[in-house]
Amino acid sequence: DELVSKAFSGREGRAFLVNTCINVLPPSKSEERVLMTGRHTVSDVYCRGCGGRIGWKYEKAEEVGQRYKEGKYIIERERVVKENGWELE
């Protein structure tokens, strides 16, 4: 229910857009970035276990058509650990 889309790109390739994210540290300081879909205010998100950066949280989107992303997370597929038998594809 938390998965919004599998068709996103992160810094390291394919990524998931999700509504919420668990086992992460609070988002870092917000900054503006120009991404493939325009200018966004984002905060990097880090794994609570290893401390590695796993993606970012969309805080604000400049374009009206991109505002559905606000409050959602990009989680990079390469950073996801498959456990408990769930499928990535």
Side-chain angles (χ1 to χ4, degrees):
D1 291 340
E2 295 301 313
L3 180 65
V4 176
S5 177
K6 295 179 183 179
F8 274 73
S9 295
R11 289 181 181 169
E12 306 294 326
R14 305 282 314 221
F16 303 116
L17 180 67
V18 295
N19 287 313
T20 59
C21 192
I22 60 171
N23 296 328
V24 295
L25 298 170
S28 66
K29 182 179 176 185
S30 298
E31 65 181 30
E32 283 194 10
R33 292 187 193 153
V34 178
L35 303 172
M36 294 173 61
T37 56
R39 183 176 303 277
H40 300 275
T41 302
V42 299
S43 301
D44 284 333
V45 177
Y46 297 87
C47 175
R48 185 175 298 277
C50 72
R53 189 189 56 77
I54 62 169
W56 61 83
K57 181 180 181 182
Y58 285 104
E59 303 292 346
K60 184 174 167 102
E62 189 172 291
E63 296 181 29
V64 174
Q66 298 297 312
R67 292 197 178 143
Y68 73 95
K69 298 176 186 174
E70 293 179 351
K72 293 178 176 58
Y73 296 82
I74 284 290
I75 304 301
E76 297 195 42
R77 183 174 172 169
E78 292 298 317
R79 306 288 186 220
V80 175
V81 176
K82 182 179 175 184
E83 291 183 4
N84 299 326
W86 55 274
E87 301 274 335
L88 292 177
E89 295 296 326

